Amino acid sequence: MSKIVLYGFDGSTYVRTVRMLLAEKAASYELVPVNVLKGEPREPAHLARHPFGKVPVLDHDGFRVLETSAIAAYLDEVLPGPSFTPDNPKDRARMRMAMSFIDSYGYGALIGVAGFHLFPDFIGGQNEEAKQQAIATSRRVLAELMKLRGGDAHIAGARPSLADLYLAPICFYVGLTSDAEEVFAVDGFAPWWERMQAMPSYQATAPQLG
């Protein structure tokens, strides 16, 4: 039996993305905790795994994969179970565009909103002006993602893709804040969010808060 070891922090949205995928694939794995809030990714043991001190890191039968996009694509390809990569070029392009939007523009903004309320020390304190800018950028990103989705149930088609697994864990944290209603007031977002929250893999991977 192949062995999967995932290094990461239970509270990391990117680690949850990978954990959701593993749950969807019904794959067994070992989660080795690396606490981001305690600075553990910057310690020598983890820097030996990831030179830039990031999580997650994946080891699969002696093969190491870094960066969530590469980890998710690799696992989706090598593990049995439902595919989370669309089967046609246009929908694959939609998925990849969405993942790039999230990585490049969405993550920092959405986590900026969540962090203002939930972990201000981690993001450098509470700055109201910065929060308002983050809300505006978050709404813009979500609007573009919903435009990509169009009339489909999910971002890149009728079925969930890696793009959906990217976005949902980040929205989880925003959803815990008093700014969620404003951030999420984007055409098309509500039905997508309801579908994602209903997924068993989403429910099974909720971080342990507190």
Side-chain angles (χ1 to χ4, degrees):
M1 180 180 292
S2 62
K3 182 176 182 181
I4 297 172
V5 179
L6 183 65
Y7 297 91
F9 177 47
D10 174 71
S12 163
T13 67
Y14 282 121
V15 171
R16 190 176 182 185
T17 291
V18 176
R19 294 181 66 216
M20 285 181 68
L21 179 61
L22 288 165
E24 292 287 343
K25 299 282 191 175
S28 61
Y29 64 98
E30 177 186 0
L31 178 62
V32 177
V34 181
N35 194 316
V36 172
L37 298 180
K38 293 181 179 179
E40 291 177 359
R42 293 292 179 180
E43 293 178 359
H46 191 69
L47 287 172
R49 301 181 194 111
H50 194 303
F52 300 101
K54 299 294 185 179
V55 294
V57 170
L58 178 80
D59 280 345
H60 182 215
D61 286 342
F63 179 61
R64 177 160 290 172
V65 190
L66 310 182
E67 299 301 301
T68 305
S69 59
I71 292 170
Y74 171 79
L75 290 174
D76 196 35
E77 185 172 351
V78 302
L79 294 179
S83 174
F84 284 77
T85 302
D87 61 3
N88 66 84
K90 290 183 179 179
D91 286 347
R92 285 196 294 274
R94 290 162 70 194
M95 178 189 77
R96 290 166 182 155
M97 281 191 288
M99 292 168 71
S100 183
F101 285 168
I102 295 163
D103 276 338
S104 299
Y105 318 113
Y107 177 85
L110 288 160
I111 290 298
V113 176
F116 179 91
H117 298 276
L118 304 175
F119 33 87
D121 292 343
F122 186 69
I123 64 167
Q126 291 182 315
N127 182 310
E128 182 67 29
E129 182 180 355
K131 187 193 75 168
Q132 292 302 322
Q133 291 175 347
I135 289 173
T137 302
S138 296
R139 287 173 51 83
R140 183 178 179 186
V141 170
L142 292 180
E144 290 304 316
L145 293 173
M146 292 305 108
K147 285 180 185 177
L148 279 178
R149 185 171 76 83
D152 288 321
H154 295 280
I155 291 174
R159 298 189 65 258
S161 73
L162 298 180
D164 300 285
L165 304 190
Y166 248 58
L167 182 60
I170 309 173
C171 291
F172 165 79
Y173 283 111
V174 177
L176 298 176
T177 77
S178 58
D179 288 312
E181 184 175 358
E182 181 178 0
V183 174
F184 293 163
V186 170
D187 288 346
F189 179 83
W192 173 86
W193 186 219
E194 289 179 5
R195 293 185 193 99
M196 294 306 300
Q197 292 179 93
M199 290 180 66
S201 62
Y202 176 88
Q203 297 173 7
T205 57
Q208 301 299 311
L209 302 175

